């Protein structure tokens, strides 16, 4: 292999942009660079330990995995060294010189161009390695990948502007050494007490020892040579007893393990002993990460699998169902074989048990949060509710538990806020009411304005208003909750007799009275409708559309059509409010053509209210104008 000569490369344009922003704006929390570097070192040690399972020679001769921190006041340098996996030349270019990393890309995508807001964003996302340039005017990184010979080590140097230099060097030790040449005003980091303090605050939970030279205060005459001490707790946080851990410990660990920059909303830490043993530490994030595309269910990250303290892989997709993909944390199994592959994980019985155990833990955590900290639960719901809803459809075994966690807007709620639970609803049900009523539509406004809910509103019966895309699909699986039927008010015949307040004899009379109007409308509209009925839903509007009980809601049909799917086109059923002036007018109009125009208007209005686009908007306007002009 030819040794590459020294070269100078430009950062990718985007990296340059990030560097500029970072160095100018991270001042208020500049010490985070230390946390970032320690976190990277810890990741590198984890990776080495994993690769060494298959290739023990990688750690032979140096099995003491650790991080060292040292500083030199005279040279104004701060050095972090790890004996982890290291990087090849290509990896250095890939990881440190380009924007390929998702974190940076995500960060850039979130930039607003407004300097003040962008500064805040940096605090929210962090930018890993680049944060070194907040305090350093130049950084040197020397690294040797554990499986490469000493002569193939790499030195990377940059002052964090637009270029970096690369060189091939010889380095007998594997791993990575990063030397920061501190800016003149950053003296505070050349201080043993300060560094220990920061490690204690941000990195105590790191599972590997972080070592520093022991500070000696006026102990003249000692000649025992330099004494090194470990300055962090140096044991995997999840292995420590709960009563020993403070909230800050859990929070700091979350940020490291999940590569997150928000605060965790809640967590649950458990040890299971039995036919198999494992420890789990699960977190609910506060913010949805930018790359958590809710539709991209395959890209899942943030739940790390350890086996007997050894980091194996990010295995979220095997350890939790898709609808809990927002969960972050670690699982440490005592029983799985160290050489597990993704294929094994997929079929392993122990993994299946862990998965159902973790599902239960997560639902327990959500239950507790909803009961004890409704404010926090509301935050969770607004960020992840749409994801959890998938579970109500997919997880048959836990359906009732998930249903309990759902929140909706309602005719008795506060505007569009999704705050009403099914239990809230049941608690307010009217005497004689045995059904939970809801309506699905494309958006909250369409749901709350849908004519189908009028009769229920008039009887003071609550209706849940569902305006999210997933709702119609989810409700297809949710027919009952706590022994109560769930019923879409826009579907099938609505029987409200049990809700009292209606005089049955009168209703029959009204039906009979409406018959001539209905017959006439049927003739006038012909094949445009499947049926015309007198409505029990309408009190104010003239007309509305209904579908059969097991038919797809019209807005879902439209969505599927727009997505290019084949959906059968069936004529709708039109319900009319026989008492409405417009309906009366259609009924009394002697001129057949004019009557047809009014009937068509009744149908078109119902379509508009339901959210559909009209086939013939120009015709609609003409009909409308003719009617108004009389
Ligand atoms: P992140 O840790 O979020 O990936 P960073 O900017 O902190 O982002 O690091 C970028 C990448 O550089 C890491 O993903 C890793 O591949 C590599 N890297 C950084 N520090 C080290 C190190 N000490 N040892 C090995 N690789 C490292
Ligand atoms: Mg990092």
């Amino acid at each position: 292999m030819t040794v590459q000569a020294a070269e100078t490369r430009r950062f990718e344009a985007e990296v340059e942009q990030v560097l500029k922003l970072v160095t100018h704006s991270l001042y208020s929390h500049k010490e985070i660079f230390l946390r970032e570097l320690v976190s990277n070192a810890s990741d590198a040690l984890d990776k080495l330990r994993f690769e060494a399972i298959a290739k023990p020679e990688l750690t032979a001769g140096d099995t003491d995995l650790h991080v060292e921190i040292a500083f030199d006041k005279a040279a104004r340098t701060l050095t972090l060294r790890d004996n982890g996996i290291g990087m090849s030349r290509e990896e250095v270019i890939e990881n440190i010189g380009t924007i390929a990393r998702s974190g940076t890309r995500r960060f850039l995508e979130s930039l607003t161009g407004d300097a003040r807001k962008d500064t805040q964003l940096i605090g929210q996302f962090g930018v890993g390695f680049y944060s070194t340039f907040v305090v350093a005017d130049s950084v040197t990184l020397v690294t040797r990948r554990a499986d490469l010979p000493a002569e193939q080590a790499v030195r990377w140097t940059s002052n964090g502007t637009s270029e970096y230099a690369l060189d091939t060097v010889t380095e007998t030790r594997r791993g990575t050494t990063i030397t920061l040449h501190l800016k003149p005003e950053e003296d505070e980091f050349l201080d043993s007490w300060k560094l220990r303090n920061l490690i204690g605050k941000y990195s105590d939970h790191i599972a590997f020892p972080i070592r520093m030279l022991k500070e000696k205060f006026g102990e003249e005459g000692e000649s025992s040579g330099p004494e090194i001490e470990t300055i962090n707790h140096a044991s995997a946080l999840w292995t420590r007893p709960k009563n020993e851990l403070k909230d800050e410990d859990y929070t700091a660990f979350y940020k490291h393990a999940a590569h997150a920059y928000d605060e965790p909303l809640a967590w649950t830490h458990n040890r299971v002993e039995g036919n198999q043993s494992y420890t789990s530490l699960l977190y609910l994030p506060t913010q949805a990460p930018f790359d958590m595309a809710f539709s991209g269910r395959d890209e899942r990250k943030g739940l790390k699998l350890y086996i007997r303290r050894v980091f194996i892989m990010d295995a979220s997709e095997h350890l939790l169902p898709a609808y809990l993909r927002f969960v972050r944390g670690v699982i440490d199994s005592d029983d799985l074989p160290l050489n597990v592959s993704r294929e094994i994980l997929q079929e392993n019985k122990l993994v299946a048990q862990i998965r159902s155990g973790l599902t239960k833990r997560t639902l327990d955590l959500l239950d507790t949060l909803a009961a004890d900290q409704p404010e926090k639960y509301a935050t969770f719901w607004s960020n992840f509710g749409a994801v959890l809803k998938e579970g109500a459809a997919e997880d048959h075994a836990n359906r009732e538990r998930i249903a309990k966690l759902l929140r909706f807007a309602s005719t008795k709620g506060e505007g569009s806020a999704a705050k009403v639970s099914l239990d809230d609803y049941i608690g307010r049900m009217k005497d004689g009411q045995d059904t939970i009523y809801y309506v699905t539509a494309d958006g909250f406004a369409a749901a709350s304005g849908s004519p189908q809910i009028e009769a229920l509103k008039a009887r003071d019966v609550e209706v849940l208003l569902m305006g999210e895309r997933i709702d119609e699909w989810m409700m297809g699986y949710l027919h009952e909750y706590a022994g109560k039927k769930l019923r879409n008010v826009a579907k099938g015949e609505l029987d409200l007799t049990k809700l009292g307040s209606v005089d049955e004899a009168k209703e029959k009379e009204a039906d009979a009275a409406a018959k001539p109007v209905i017959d006439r409308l049927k003739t006038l509209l012909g094949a445009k409708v499947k049926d015309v009925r007198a409505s029990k839903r309408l009190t104010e509007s003239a007309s509305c559309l209904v579908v059969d009980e097991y038919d797809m809601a019209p807005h879902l049909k439209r969505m599927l059509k727009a997505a290019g799917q084949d959906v059968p086109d069936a004529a709708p059923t039109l319900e009319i409010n026989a008492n409405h002036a417009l309906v009366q007018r259609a009924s009394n109009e002697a001129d057949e053509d004019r009557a047809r125009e009014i009937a068509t208007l009744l149908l078109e209005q119902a379509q508009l209210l339901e959210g559909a686009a009209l086939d013939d908007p120009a015709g609609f306007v003409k009909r409308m104008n003719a009617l108004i002009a009389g």
Side-chain angles (χ1 to χ4, degrees):
M1 183 164 176
T2 53
V3 172
Q4 283 128 316
E7 59 174 325
T8 300
R9 287 174 165 253
R10 275 195 86 86
F11 283 113
E12 276 194 347
E14 292 99 326
V15 177
E16 246 180 89
Q17 191 190 342
V18 170
L19 280 167
K20 241 191 222 134
L21 255 168
V22 169
T23 44
H24 285 102
S25 54
L26 209 61
Y27 266 155
S28 49
H29 8 254
K30 54 189 167 189
E31 78 264 14
I32 67 149
F33 81 90
L34 194 61
R35 165 181 98 189
E36 297 295 333
L37 292 182
V38 170
S39 176
N40 286 348
S42 167
D43 288 348
L45 293 165
D46 264 340
K47 279 183 205 156
L48 175 68
R49 198 155 60 173
F50 176 66
E51 285 195 21
I53 296 170
K55 294 190 245 168
E57 67 275 13
L58 288 183
T59 49
D62 183 9
T63 55
D64 172 31
L65 307 189
H66 68 280
V67 184
E68 278 164 32
I69 301 181
F71 60 90
D72 181 335
K73 272 194 168 145
R76 305 187 49 75
T77 58
L78 176 64
T79 303
L80 256 97
R81 167 163 175 74
D82 67 72
N83 56 354
I85 192 69
M87 286 178 272
S88 66
R89 190 181 183 105
E90 289 70 32
E91 285 170 329
V92 171
I93 295 170
E94 171 88 355
N95 296 334
I96 313 241
T98 69
I99 198 81
R101 288 176 40 249
S102 67
T104 318
R105 166 99 43 212
R106 207 192 319 153
F107 169 72
L108 276 175
E109 280 164 5
S110 65
L111 289 183
T112 61
D114 173 339
R116 256 213 350 248
K117 284 192 193 141
D118 290 346
T119 306
Q120 282 175 0
L121 280 171
I122 292 178
Q124 227 173 61
F125 291 101
V127 274
F129 178 80
Y130 301 132
S131 61
T132 49
F133 291 105
V134 179
V135 295
D137 48 27
S138 81
V139 175
T140 302
L141 173 147
V142 175
T143 185
R144 199 200 98 210
R145 207 177 194 290
D147 53 5
L148 291 177
E151 305 75 52
Q152 284 181 37
V154 188
R155 183 170 61 219
W156 178 102
T157 320
S158 176
N159 60 8
T161 49
S162 54
E163 292 176 343
Y164 60 93
L166 271 182
D167 206 351
T168 299
V169 295
T170 298
E171 170 61 66
T172 52
R173 302 172 300 178
R174 68 156 191 264
T176 304
T177 306
I178 296 169
T179 305
L180 279 64
H181 187 268
L182 294 176
K183 291 178 181 170
E185 65 276 17
E186 306 301 346
D187 275 1
E188 57 174 320
F189 298 108
L190 298 170
D191 178 86
S192 175
W193 184 85
K194 173 83 182 178
L195 293 169
R196 278 158 207 260
N197 197 289
L198 289 175
I199 296 292
K201 187 162 160 200
Y202 294 120
S203 310
D204 189 52
H205 59 81
I206 295 290
F208 302 94
I210 303 171
R211 296 183 185 143
M212 269 183 82
L213 201 60
K214 188 162 185 172
E215 189 89 68
K216 290 182 189 155
F217 297 100
E219 295 172 35
E220 297 291 326
E222 275 194 37
S223 56
S224 53
E227 210 180 317
I228 302 282
E229 66 177 342
T230 297
I231 58 171
N232 66 330
H233 207 283
S235 64
L237 177 122
W238 63 89
T239 62
R240 293 165 59 187
K242 281 198 223 182
N243 59 11
E244 211 184 78
L245 292 165
K246 295 194 293 282
D247 285 0
E248 298 88 271
D249 298 320
Y250 281 114
T251 301
F253 181 73
Y254 164 78
K255 292 184 182 182
H256 164 70
H259 281 239
Y261 295 90
D262 59 342
E263 301 287 312
L265 200 59
W267 54 84
T268 175
H269 182 189
N270 301 283
R271 169 92 188 142
V272 171
E273 316 251 7
N275 66 346
Q276 69 161 327
S277 308
Y278 63 90
T279 303
S280 62
L281 173 51
L282 306 177
Y283 291 92
L284 299 178
T286 301
Q287 288 170 349
F290 270 65
D291 56 1
M292 185 159 112
F294 290 170
S295 46
R297 290 158 38 107
D298 302 335
E299 214 216 302
R300 290 199 242 155
K301 259 193 191 149
L303 195 58
K304 293 181 162 184
L305 173 66
Y306 284 76
I307 296 176
R308 293 183 287 288
R309 260 41 96 225
V310 179
F311 172 66
I312 305 295
M313 65 179 95
D314 206 300
S316 183
E317 72 271 36
H318 300 294
L319 297 170
L320 278 176
Y323 72 89
L324 297 178
R325 62 187 174 278
F326 44 79
V327 171
R328 301 286 178 264
V330 300
I331 313 304
D332 191 348
S333 160
D334 291 1
D335 307 295
L336 289 170
L338 273 173
N339 60 355
V340 285
S341 60
R342 291 203 179 267
E343 290 66 43
I344 294 178
L345 282 180
Q346 215 147 35
E347 318 204 315
N348 191 289
K349 263 209 183 116
L350 296 177
V351 174
Q353 275 177 16
I354 296 180
R355 188 180 158 110
S356 76
L358 298 182
T359 302
K360 186 178 165 302
R361 291 275 179 224
T362 307
L363 295 176
D364 287 346
L365 180 63
L366 288 169
D367 271 344
T368 315
L369 195 68
D372 300 346
Q373 292 173 285
E375 288 297 307
K376 281 195 174 177
Y377 189 75
T379 303
F380 163 79
W381 184 256
S382 70
N383 286 329
F384 303 105
V387 180
L388 187 66
K389 281 178 179 176
E390 294 169 14
E394 290 174 345
D395 189 347
H396 180 72
N398 290 302
R399 186 163 296 151
E400 187 88 358
R401 294 201 62 187
I402 297 166
K404 193 182 178 62
L405 292 165
L406 301 175
R407 296 293 182 269
F408 300 103
S410 146
T411 49
K412 298 208 170 161
E414 306 158 34
S416 63
K419 286 193 171 162
V420 176
S421 70
L422 295 176
D423 290 327
D424 295 338
Y425 184 103
I426 290 173
R428 297 196 278 254
M429 269 164 77
K430 300 191 60 103
D431 285 347
Q433 186 183 350
D434 56 2
T435 304
I436 300 171
Y437 294 102
Y438 66 91
V439 66
T440 59
D442 192 4
F444 169 78
S448 66
S450 61
Q452 287 94 341
I453 67 177
E454 287 172 7
L456 288 156
K457 265 173 137 174
R459 287 171 171 78
D460 195 37
V461 173
E462 180 166 13
V463 180
L464 298 174
L465 305 170
M466 307 190 184
E468 283 192 6
R469 298 203 145 182
I470 188 173
D471 291 332
E472 169 73 17
W473 174 72
M474 170 182 72
M475 295 311 287
Y477 293 86
L478 207 60
H479 305 298
E480 246 187 61
Y481 174 75
K484 306 277 186 275
K485 286 220 156 30
L486 287 145
R487 181 85 157 72
N488 187 333
V489 300
K491 289 187 177 181
E493 303 241 21
L494 197 58
D495 178 10
L496 302 177
T497 47
K498 278 199 195 131
L499 294 171
S501 77
V502 222
D503 183 334
E504 274 187 57
K506 225 176 172 184
E507 209 169 63
K508 280 227 176 80
E509 214 174 277
D511 276 355
K515 187 148 190 317
V517 194
I518 289 185
D519 287 345
R520 179 145 204 227
L521 287 174
K522 271 192 208 171
T523 324
L524 290 169
L525 292 170
K528 283 189 190 151
V529 292
K530 184 169 151 196
D531 195 9
V532 181
R533 290 201 293 247
S535 183
K536 303 200 168 55
R537 297 164 232 256
L538 297 175
T539 57
E540 290 164 33
S541 302
S543 59
C544 70
L545 297 181
V546 292
V547 297
D548 290 343
E549 191 153 0
Y550 299 105
D551 272 359
M552 203 185 278
H555 73 275
L556 185 66
K557 250 187 205 173
R558 280 198 300 279
M559 247 167 60
L560 293 177
K561 255 193 201 163
Q565 294 205 31
D566 229 5
V567 268
D569 249 331
T573 295
L574 183 69
E575 283 197 0
I576 52 142
N577 178 354
N579 299 322
H580 197 279
L582 194 55
V583 176
Q584 300 277 328
R585 197 147 162 194
S587 163
N588 299 334
E589 177 60 61
D591 182 305
E592 190 74 2
D593 286 337
R594 285 181 60 120
R596 181 170 298 107
E597 291 290 277
I598 300 174
T600 308
L601 268 175
L602 285 170
L603 175 62
E604 286 171 328
Q605 286 188 351
Q607 286 169 328
L608 280 176
L609 281 171
E610 187 279 308
L614 297 177
D615 291 339
D616 176 18
F620 169 76
V621 171
K622 222 160 127 204
R623 278 185 275 283
M624 200 71 189
N625 289 346
L627 189 73
I628 296 168

